[in-house]
Amino acid sequence: MAEDGKKPVSGEAEKPVAEASVVEEVVAVAVAEVAAPCLPQSEVPEAEEKSKEEEVVEKLEGEVAGAAAAEEEKPKVVEEGEKMTESVSFKEESNVVSDLPESQRKALEELKVLVKEAMEKHEFTAPPPPPPPPAKEEKAPATEEEAKTEAPAEPAAEAVCPPPVEESKTEEKKEEEKKEEEKKEEEKKEEEKVAPPEPAEPEVVAVVVETITAVVVDEDGAKTVEAIEETIVVAPPAEEPAAAVTGGLPRPEEVEIWGIKLFDDDRTDVVLLKFLRARDFRPKESLIMLKNAVLWRKSFGIETLLEEDLGNHLESVVFMEGFGKEGHPVCYNAYGKFQNKELYQNTFSDEEKRQNFLRWRIQFLEKSIRKLDFSPKGINTIIQVNDLKNSPGPFKRELRQATNQALYLLQDNYPEFVAKQVLINVPWWYLAFNRMISPFLTQRTKSKFVFAGPSKSAETLFKYIAPEQVPVQYGGLKKDGDSEFSDSDPVTLVTIKPGCKHVIEFPSTEPCQLVWELRVIGWDVTYGAEFVPSAEEGYTVIVQKARKIAPTDDPVICNSFKIGEPGKVVVTIDNQTSKKKKLLYRSKTQSCD
């Protein structure tokens, strides 16, 4: 990707321009998706966070005030600062496993093993809350009462036996019965050894001990007292385990994220690589991030959120439009719309509205992600274009709170979804924010950012997005409801040097209807068109008399001419200014019927 090596001329700005997330505090709703591994989350109390935040704001206000003073003294600083572009150009990595370095392939395989083990242990499901303490206290007396009801009272079991002779006979019978019971118990034990043990929890058994006192008379006339104990074991019927059992082990849970299974799916590797890249290919840390993201999605209710109707009042602020040169969908964030006080109040005035905005933004992002191609060779990232023209700035407390919430939420749960972050119409207070934010970002994250001032915004966009895919309001030729041209009609881009003319010729050998459209970024040039026949005796026809096009005129000119004889339409653009101009044009022919 192209880079612009020019630097600001001010002494303060002679340092290398680091393309960091200068407005992550201002537009973090869209920008935070890039900085997943970079910004640390503080665990300080809320009061301390507010105090630190106020200190930062005060410091920024001082720097911005100083920058404003310098702006008045040196007006050229802004113009030169507009030439800032990206730092080291970022090249998107491959998701094909065979293309990865050996170390990254090993990390991916290790993470897949860890994910499988976590699924078998059900670690992607939040543990149920512990039962309340009173419930445990009530269970103890209940078991005691059951034992009492099942066991006969011990005093009633103690009784004096009949005469000695009869007692000896009954005693012999009881000994025989006891031996038979012991044999049966031994047979049962042998059967239990053969049968496989069931993975059920230990059964609660009630043991009832009955004591019988017997008086025995020996041959010599001596009396002895023997205590005979009979043990009766009462076991409740075994209950079937609630969870499905496969080979004696719980069945692994099925986990999905963005509609993709985390195991046994052709697209799984692409998802896991996003979390690995966010954690510098450290598998254990990547697993923790993945588990936290899955648990957050369940608690936030993502699947339900996708079905909610949250209105369309913010569609002019965040919207998808067109595709980049490499096929990436493009998301535009026009934060200048929040200059509308009514829209701002309806979006950020209280906590409930800020939460609704956050839910709407998450819903929009989720729907956009579901349209991506997660196959190894597919397009699974987007280009973010953040328009800072008329942005409310960083000193709006409500906006700052909303963007801080979104910042941490998006960076933890949506890693590696941005191929390029293009910030256009960057205001003069950019440098102050850049100095404050850039130390927290890695070089890899910085390389994804591109910054352009107002005069370079369209030119910068054209590096990554074809002009026919760029909306008219951002310098392109893409219009809603265009009946003459479509996104598939290519646009020619030409640079007109200062003080030079550029001539465009549309030749035709047959009768037809020629249609063309063009625009010059910033206009302030002279435009004219005429038809020149091929025959020498023919007459030149003036299609459009030469006239000056001002910057405030319609951004796009669309003309047509019915050609009845061989010839050509000649369009002339005269740039008499001291600046280079970008010219965009395209044409097509239609039948004369």
Side-chain angles (χ1 to χ4, degrees):
M1 299 181 184
E3 298 183 14
D4 190 341
K6 296 183 181 180
K7 300 180 180 179
V9 297
S10 64
E12 186 66 27
E14 287 179 356
K15 301 176 182 179
V17 180
E19 277 65 26
S21 59
V22 57
V23 270
E24 284 196 9
E25 294 287 343
V26 185
V27 292
V29 172
V31 178
E33 297 140 8
V34 181
C38 307
L39 296 181
Q41 292 192 36
S42 60
E43 298 181 356
V44 296
E46 183 178 357
E48 294 182 10
E49 288 183 355
K50 290 183 178 178
S51 61
K52 288 184 178 181
E53 187 178 74
E54 291 174 357
E55 292 178 4
V56 171
V57 171
E58 289 177 1
K59 186 174 181 180
L60 288 175
E61 286 176 347
E63 292 193 10
V64 168
E71 172 72 11
E72 294 178 0
E73 295 176 2
K74 300 180 180 180
K76 291 184 179 180
V77 173
V78 175
E79 182 177 346
E80 293 295 330
E82 291 169 1
K83 298 181 182 179
M84 296 180 297
T85 59
E86 75 272 18
S87 56
V88 179
S89 181
F90 172 76
K91 182 176 177 58
E92 197 168 11
E93 300 96 337
S94 172
N95 288 315
V96 179
V97 177
S98 59
D99 295 341
L100 299 176
E102 181 65 23
S103 60
Q104 295 183 5
R105 286 201 299 269
K106 288 182 179 179
L108 176 60
E109 291 302 319
E110 184 178 345
L111 178 58
K112 291 167 74 172
V113 172
L114 293 174
V115 169
K116 186 178 180 180
E117 292 176 353
M119 292 171 67
E120 291 175 349
K121 297 177 182 179
H122 289 238
E123 294 180 2
F124 287 96
T125 301
K136 294 183 178 180
E137 295 177 359
E138 291 176 359
K139 287 184 179 179
T143 54
E144 294 177 2
E145 289 176 3
E146 290 178 1
K148 289 179 181 178
T149 55
E150 293 178 1
E154 289 184 2
E158 296 179 0
V160 179
C161 292
V165 177
E166 294 179 359
E167 179 63 25
S168 61
K169 292 180 180 180
T170 56
E171 195 64 28
E172 290 176 359
K173 291 181 180 180
K174 288 183 179 181
E175 288 179 359
E176 292 176 358
E177 292 175 356
K178 187 175 182 181
K179 290 179 180 180
E180 292 177 358
E181 289 177 359
E182 289 177 354
K183 290 181 180 180
K184 292 180 180 180
E185 289 178 0
E186 290 178 359
E187 292 176 356
K188 288 182 179 179
K189 290 180 180 179
E190 291 177 357
E191 292 176 357
E192 289 175 357
K193 290 180 180 179
V194 175
E198 295 181 0
E201 297 180 359
E203 296 179 346
V204 180
V205 297
V207 180
V208 180
V209 180
E210 184 176 358
T211 305
I212 300 176
T213 306
V215 180
V216 182
V217 180
D218 296 335
E219 293 179 356
D220 58 356
K223 295 182 180 181
T224 59
V225 179
E226 294 182 0
I228 303 172
E229 293 183 355
E230 293 185 1
T231 303
I232 303 172
V233 179
V234 181
E239 296 181 358
E240 295 182 359
V245 177
T246 305
L249 296 175
R251 182 176 299 167
E253 61 180 329
E254 294 185 358
V255 182
E256 290 187 0
I257 185 168
W258 305 305
I260 300 170
K261 293 181 180 179
L262 289 184
F263 190 76
D264 197 22
D265 192 304
D266 295 338
R267 303 167 294 174
T268 302
D269 288 351
V270 177
V271 174
L272 297 182
L273 282 171
K274 289 183 179 295
F275 287 89
L276 281 169
R277 290 185 174 116
R279 290 294 179 262
D280 295 329
F281 283 89
R282 293 190 289 266
K284 292 182 179 180
E285 294 183 16
S286 302
L287 177 64
I288 294 173
M289 183 182 186
L290 176 60
K291 288 195 293 187
N292 290 339
V294 171
L295 294 174
W296 170 80
R297 293 173 67 82
K298 292 180 180 179
S299 64
F300 200 81
I302 292 296
E303 299 303 322
T304 304
L305 178 64
L306 287 171
E307 305 299 326
E308 293 184 19
D309 183 7
L310 301 178
N312 57 3
H313 60 291
L314 293 172
E315 287 183 350
S316 62
V317 180
V318 183
F319 58 92
M320 303 293 292
E321 190 74 60
F323 296 87
K325 291 182 177 180
E326 297 179 357
H328 298 89
V330 183
C331 177
Y332 291 86
N333 302 274
Y335 291 95
K337 299 291 183 180
F338 286 129
Q339 285 287 1
N340 184 315
K341 292 183 179 180
E342 182 178 357
L343 178 62
Y344 184 89
Q345 290 297 322
N346 292 337
T347 307
F348 300 116
S349 60
D350 57 48
E351 182 62 26
E352 181 180 357
K353 292 177 181 178
R354 288 192 290 271
Q355 287 299 318
N356 289 338
F357 169 75
L358 184 62
R359 290 179 63 81
W360 181 89
R361 188 63 181 85
I362 294 298
Q363 183 193 66
F364 180 88
L365 179 59
E366 281 285 333
K367 289 182 177 180
S368 302
I369 289 175
R370 300 298 174 104
K371 298 176 183 178
L372 299 175
D373 182 3
F374 281 86
S375 62
K377 294 185 178 181
I379 301 297
N380 51 76
T381 53
I382 62 177
I383 295 176
Q384 286 268 21
V385 177
N386 301 289
D387 181 12
L388 303 186
K389 184 178 181 179
N390 298 325
S391 175
F395 308 121
K396 293 281 189 178
R397 180 174 175 272
E398 299 84 5
L399 178 61
R400 195 167 63 248
Q401 290 177 343
T403 53
N404 282 340
Q405 289 177 344
L407 173 64
Y408 292 117
L409 190 152
L410 295 178
Q411 73 176 11
D412 288 340
N413 301 289
Y414 296 93
E416 300 297 320
F417 273 106
V418 176
K420 208 72 180 176
Q421 278 281 7
V422 184
L423 282 80
I424 59 175
N425 295 312
V426 175
W428 53 267
W429 41 262
Y430 156 67
L431 288 176
F433 275 93
N434 179 50
R435 288 193 297 271
M436 296 293 295
I437 302 300
S438 60
F440 296 100
L441 302 179
T442 64
Q443 184 60 39
R444 182 175 183 274
T445 298
K446 293 177 184 179
S447 67
K448 291 187 177 184
F449 284 84
V450 181
F451 295 86
S455 67
K456 297 292 182 180
S457 293
E459 182 180 347
T460 302
L461 288 178
F462 296 155
K463 294 178 182 178
Y464 312 103
I465 311 168
E468 61 268 22
Q469 294 284 344
V470 177
V472 171
Q473 63 267 35
Y474 293 114
L477 292 179
K478 185 177 177 62
K479 302 187 295 291
D480 293 333
D482 192 341
S483 59
E484 298 293 347
F485 295 93
S486 66
D487 299 344
S488 59
D489 295 320
V491 173
T492 300
L493 180 63
V494 178
T495 300
I496 307 176
K497 295 181 179 180
C500 296
K501 290 183 179 181
H502 185 80
V503 177
I504 308 169
E505 295 184 354
F506 301 118
S508 177
T509 58
E510 298 178 355
C512 64
Q513 181 81 12
L514 177 68
V515 181
W516 71 91
E517 69 176 358
L518 58 83
R519 75 175 298 175
V520 175
I521 306 301
W523 285 109
D524 198 18
V525 297
T526 302
Y527 162 73
E530 61 184 10
F531 174 74
V532 180
S534 299
E536 294 181 359
E537 65 276 10
Y539 293 95
T540 299
V541 179
I542 301 298
V543 178
Q544 171 66 58
K545 187 177 180 180
R547 66 185 181 95
K548 186 72 172 290
I549 309 296
T552 55
D553 291 342
D554 292 338
V556 180
I557 290 179
C558 186
N559 283 140
S560 63
F561 182 74
K562 186 175 182 180
I563 299 176
E565 59 179 317
K568 60 184 178 181
V569 172
V570 180
V571 176
T572 303
I573 306 294
D574 187 5
N575 177 23
Q576 294 300 316
T577 68
S578 59
K579 297 180 180 179
K580 294 186 296 183
K581 297 289 183 178
K582 291 292 182 181
L583 166 66
L584 294 75
Y585 67 90
R586 58 183 170 180
S587 66
K588 66 192 310 184
T589 56
Q590 303 171 348
S591 62
C592 294
D593 296 339

